[in-house]
Amino acid sequence: MKATPLPMMMCTLKTASIPALVLSSALLLCPDVEAQWNSLGKKVENFKIGVSYAMPKRIKRIPLKLGQSPSYLADKYVSIDHPINTRMGPSMWGAFVYKFEKAQAITNKKEGDKDPGKPKETELEKKLRELSEQMGRRSSFTNFESYLKKALSGGNFRYKGKDKKQKGGKLRYKYYEWTSQGFLHQAAVYAIDGRQIVLHGYYPADKKKKVGSGITRALNSLRILDPDDYNPDDVAKNEKKFCSTPLRKKLLDQAKKSIEGYHQWDIYCSEQYIFLYSFDRGERNASYQFVRKLSTKMNSMYRQYQKFFPPHENVKPWWSVVRVCRNKKEFDRYGGTSGGVIGWFNPGSKELVFFKDKRWTFTVAYHEGWHQYAHFWFPGAHLQRWFDEGTGDWFGSFKKTGKDSWKSAASKMRLRGIQLQVSTQTTVPWSDIVTWHKDKFYGPRASYYYAQAWSMIDFLRRGTRSRGYQKEWKKILPTYVKVALETKDTNKAVAAAFEGVDWSKLEKSWKRYVKKL
């Protein structure tokens, strides 16, 4: 077994011929600022070894060659675009990440602690190990020290296993520093659950001032991923658990094909939804955790839809797709939207789409989730916008109070808007807005209509004890739902729901209710 060769001193780079004067000007325009060489890139979450770390921006992550890389090599970085200029020409620099499974515990363990033993091997790790063994590349190294003895010849050590303690509860490690063949090497050896995880950086020995602090920061950056973090095996188990029928298998295959070939998109399956989500480089785990949280809440909200609109025999079985874009720009590009649009449901593709937003993501998810549910609950019925959008915003304003319990509340998104309309007397008469479909509802004043629609549904559901509320108004929503479901004619549903209603008294009581919210 050959050890990973330590880097050669020089690397010849071929460039186009540039006049000396022009090159000189270019160098003057781009000064060699040390901060540019020492700043770290985005955090990399290496799920195979259960840790995250960050490397200097100017070295690039290189894919490991399957079956040709030694089993202890977990990651590799090389300065492809940013070599370091030395007296003898441009020189490469970079970093390695190693994993030694049978490491002797040397850090993060106190006297008397029990040996946690070797962590359970995942299916993916098992297959990669077996493939590596079949190709004769099984590592004989039990720890970093044995690797150094095999790989290093003529090295001059400055530090050999110096204990490094970090502030703020960060992991401690053993520090190694040595020079070999004109290169300076720095390594941090972390002992984690019976394994050694090693971050190892190298660069020309006379360039420590230029890049040394960046490598040191990289060595200090290692963190252990949470057990609940992204794990391919757990994702696969979840998929198998919920993909339980031929229809669901078909829908899952379609969802997978929609992101096939696209980088930084992944899939997460849950009881009622297939989540497709995107993420920035190094942010996969954070996005995964967010989608898991979103999944828990949306599936719980789905049960609220069922509570108020119990499933019936004509509800078509489905497994709905929820696409979560990483930002507004990607959301607009995908849907061809712009401006204030923050989420939508497509009845044709039956896909729900929105983007990750710190303030409104969950509100939008519950709102659009209602549209997705209503599409199958009211088959063939074209609901008027006051009912459909108003109910969506009503569910969107719910607050979670327990594991699977919710409480309706005033909408933070709509309350100020409708109160302003009431105070300025710019609301639309109920007798008009209850008949509106898409052609009148959507437009320049749509946000005002959304606010009014929410307040109308909220009044009919939560305002039953407000001053002037008449008991016959309690029948408005049940009647509308019943007739719309049975006849598919929502115009008849409106007529039946508001038959005999005194519009003036209804609006007066509603406005009084809105003002006091």
Side-chain angles (χ1 to χ4, degrees), residues 477-492:
L477 291 180
T479 301
Y480 178 87
V481 169
K482 182 176 184 295
V483 176
L485 185 63
E486 292 177 351
T487 68
K488 318 301 181 191
D489 189 334
T490 54
N491 291 328
K492 286 184 179 180

Side-chain angles (χ1 to χ4, degrees), residues 356-387:
K356 187 177 179 181
D357 178 78
K358 291 182 179 179
R359 188 177 184 187
W360 297 121
T361 294
F362 293 99
T363 295
V364 174
Y366 307 152
H367 176 113
E368 299 300 336
W370 155 253
H371 290 319
Q372 208 170 38
Y373 185 84
H375 175 78
F376 296 103
W377 205 89
F378 290 95
H382 297 285
L383 304 173
Q384 279 85 0
R385 296 299 84 199
W386 75 277
F387 176 81

Side-chain angles (χ1 to χ4, degrees), residues 28 35 44-45 55 74 159 210 225 262 328 376 385 499:
L28 286 173
V44 171
E45 295 161 335
M55 291 295 178
Y159 297 107
K210 190 183 190 72
L225 294 177
Y262 290 90
K328 181 70 160 62
F376 296 103
R385 296 299 84 199
E499 185 179 4

Side-chain angles (χ1 to χ4, degrees), residues 260-278:
E260 188 176 352
Y262 290 90
H263 298 297
Q264 298 171 347
W265 276 90
D266 211 337
I267 193 164
Y268 180 79
C269 297
S270 69
E271 183 181 0
Q272 301 296 344
Y273 301 102
I274 302 171
F275 289 89
L276 303 177
Y277 64 98
S278 62

Side-chain angles (χ1 to χ4, degrees), residues 233-263:
D233 289 338
D234 291 340
V235 173
K237 289 178 183 177
N238 224 36
E239 180 179 309
K240 185 177 180 180
K241 176 182 178 181
F242 295 113
C243 190
S244 54
T245 65
L247 174 62
R248 287 199 164 201
K249 186 179 184 306
K250 177 183 177 181
L251 295 172
L252 180 59
D253 288 342
Q254 291 176 353
K256 286 182 175 180
K257 286 182 180 179
S258 74
I259 60 172
E260 188 176 352
Y262 290 90
H263 298 297

